[in-house]
């Protein structure tokens, strides 16, 4: 078990259902699973800039209509946003360049169909909750909280356009297996978040039974450690804050599964 400390760092008013975040210089970029905005929160001025991903971007969209953005990651100067893939409208990707403030949209239907076919995952059970770029690979984290309980990762080789699925069962929190909710690459280690909910559906929320952090060695695709960090909260986003020889600090966001436009940002410190 890794030694850690967890504390609430601040609360952002104006953003709800936070599901992913990336710290870029002094800006904290945040996505929400029921919004079609990308939010830019200034850590210096404590202000929010709403970046439209659609001309008619909305907040607090009904569950049946939302695009369900669950993954936000960075490659080079660009931010990549992924839909969860559980429904056709959730198979979209948005790429945002903070330098020129331009946005691209891509349809991921063919990629997601290939992933589901390779892993034997049904349409309703695909649930992409995290994304990491590692060398030439795009690594997508499948949250196995559906009926099929397939928790694992897809490793997609962008040059060869091939993919493979690696099952990764995680420890139980109380009576329910934890499943992926986000991930980040730090140097040559992938750190991930996972939560447990008392539900067998990728659509319906259940009682939250806690969250854990862990790490994966991308050379062997094996889990190195897992540590439970809360018994009550569902953390859905992780980004690097600071690191030293003895510690690594992350910022986490919590999805409270409500329509309230408030987001708590936590600081998690791991001892190396």
């Amino acid at each position: 078990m890794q030694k850690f400390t967890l504390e609430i760092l601040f609360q952002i008013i104006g953003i709800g259902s936070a599901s992913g975040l990336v710290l870029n210089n002094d800006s904290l970029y945040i996505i929400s699973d029921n919004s079609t905005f990308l939010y830019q929160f200034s850590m210096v001025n404590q202000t929010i800039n709403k970046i439209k991903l659609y001309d008619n971007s909305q907040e607090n969209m009904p569950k049946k209509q939302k695009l369900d953005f669950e993954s936000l990651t960075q490659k080079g100067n660009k931010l990549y946003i992924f839909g969860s893939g559980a429904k056709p409208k959730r198979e979209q990707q948005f790429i945002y360049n903070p330098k020129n403030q331009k946005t691209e949209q891509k349809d991921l239907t063919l990629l997601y169909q290939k992933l589901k076919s390779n892993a034997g995952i049904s349409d309703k059970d695909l649930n992409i909750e995290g994304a990491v770029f590692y060398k030439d690979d795009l690594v997508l984290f499948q949250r196995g909280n559906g009926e099929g309980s397939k928790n694992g990762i897809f490793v997609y080789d962008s040059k060869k356009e091939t993919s493979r699925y690696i099952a990764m069962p995680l420890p139980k929190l109380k009576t329910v297996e934890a499943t992926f909710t986000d991930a980040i690459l730090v140097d040559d280690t992938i750190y991930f978040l996972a939560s447990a909910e008392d539900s067998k559906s990728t659509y319906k929320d259940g009682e939250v039974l806690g969250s854990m952090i862990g790490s994966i060695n991308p050379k062997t695709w094996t889990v190195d450690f897992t540590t439970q960090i809360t018994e009550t909260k569902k953390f859905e986003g992780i980004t690097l804050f600071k690191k030293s020889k003895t510690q690594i600090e992350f910022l986490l966001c919590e999805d409270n599964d409500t329509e309230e436009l408030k987001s708590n940002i936590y600081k998690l410190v791991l001892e190396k």
Side-chain angles (χ1 to χ4, degrees):
M1 180 176 177
Q2 299 287 111
K3 291 184 178 180
F4 72 93
T5 59
L6 178 69
E7 63 178 322
I8 186 167
L9 197 60
F10 53 84
Q11 184 178 78
I12 303 175
I13 306 298
I15 304 174
S17 298
S19 56
L21 73 172
V22 165
L23 182 62
N24 184 324
N25 297 320
D26 293 326
S27 290
L28 189 61
Y29 290 90
I30 301 172
I31 54 170
S32 165
D33 63 14
N34 63 2
S35 170
T36 49
F37 286 99
L38 171 64
Y39 301 92
Q40 181 185 7
F41 177 75
S42 171
M43 299 279 282
V44 176
N45 302 321
Q46 306 286 293
T47 56
I48 299 173
N49 176 34
K50 295 182 180 181
I51 301 164
K52 287 186 176 182
L53 299 175
Y54 276 99
D55 289 336
N56 61 341
S57 283
Q58 303 175 53
E59 294 174 301
N60 276 336
M61 298 175 69
K63 184 169 283 194
K64 290 183 179 181
Q65 297 178 15
K66 69 181 186 178
L67 302 190
D68 203 28
F69 296 144
E70 295 285 0
S71 307
L72 175 63
T73 192
Q74 183 172 0
K75 182 181 181 184
N77 297 322
K78 296 181 180 181
L79 300 174
Y80 291 76
I81 303 165
F82 295 82
S84 65
K87 292 184 176 183
K89 66 179 61 177
R90 300 179 178 184
E91 296 173 339
Q92 299 299 309
Q93 179 191 64
F94 289 84
I95 305 169
Y96 177 72
N97 188 333
K99 287 194 172 182
N100 59 24
Q101 299 181 356
K102 290 186 177 181
T103 304
E104 304 172 54
Q105 181 180 359
K106 291 187 177 182
D107 190 322
L108 298 181
T109 300
L110 293 179
L111 173 60
Y112 281 3
Q113 285 179 347
K114 180 183 292 187
L115 299 183
K116 287 183 287 188
S117 177
N118 286 354
I121 294 175
S122 67
D123 291 343
K124 66 178 182 178
D125 282 343
L126 186 69
N127 194 10
I128 302 300
E129 293 262 346
V132 165
F133 289 98
Y134 177 71
K135 297 183 178 180
D136 293 329
D137 294 330
L138 168 63
V139 186
L140 297 174
F141 287 73
Q142 156 70 12
R143 187 177 184 199
N145 61 331
E147 292 181 2
S149 299
K150 287 204 171 185
N151 191 77
I153 59 172
F154 297 100
V155 182
Y156 177 73
D157 187 318
S158 58
K159 289 188 175 180
K160 297 179 181 178
E161 296 187 351
T162 58
S163 68
R164 57 187 174 128
Y165 173 74
I166 303 170
M168 287 195 175
L170 297 175
K172 290 183 177 181
L173 298 180
K174 296 182 180 177
T175 59
V176 178
E177 183 182 319
T179 52
F180 291 130
T181 55
D182 202 9
I184 184 174
L185 177 69
V186 181
D187 299 324
D188 287 324
T189 300
I190 294 175
Y191 292 88
F192 66 83
L193 292 175
S195 296
E197 278 186 274
D198 194 5
S199 172
K200 287 292 185 181
S201 171
T202 60
Y203 185 77
K204 296 180 180 179
D205 299 317
E207 179 189 358
V208 176
L209 303 177
S211 296
M212 66 172 60
I213 190 168
S215 74
I216 292 171
N217 183 339
K219 295 178 181 178
T220 59
W221 299 117
T222 54
V223 175
D224 286 338
F225 82 90
T226 60
T227 296
Q228 184 170 356
I229 55 176
T230 175
E231 294 183 352
T232 59
K233 301 183 184 303
K234 181 171 69 171
F235 290 122
E236 290 212 358
I238 182 170
T239 189
L240 179 66
F241 187 39
K242 298 175 184 177
K243 63 176 181 175
S244 67
K245 291 183 180 180
T246 58
Q247 293 181 333
I248 182 166
E249 300 180 25
F250 299 101
L251 299 182
L252 312 181
C253 65
E254 176 188 7
D255 185 356
N256 51 20
D257 289 326
T258 72
E259 295 183 359
E260 190 175 21
L261 295 180
K262 291 182 182 179
S263 290
N264 293 327
I265 304 300
Y266 293 78
K267 183 174 75 171
L268 173 67
V269 181
L270 286 182
E271 303 291 336
K272 289 185 177 179

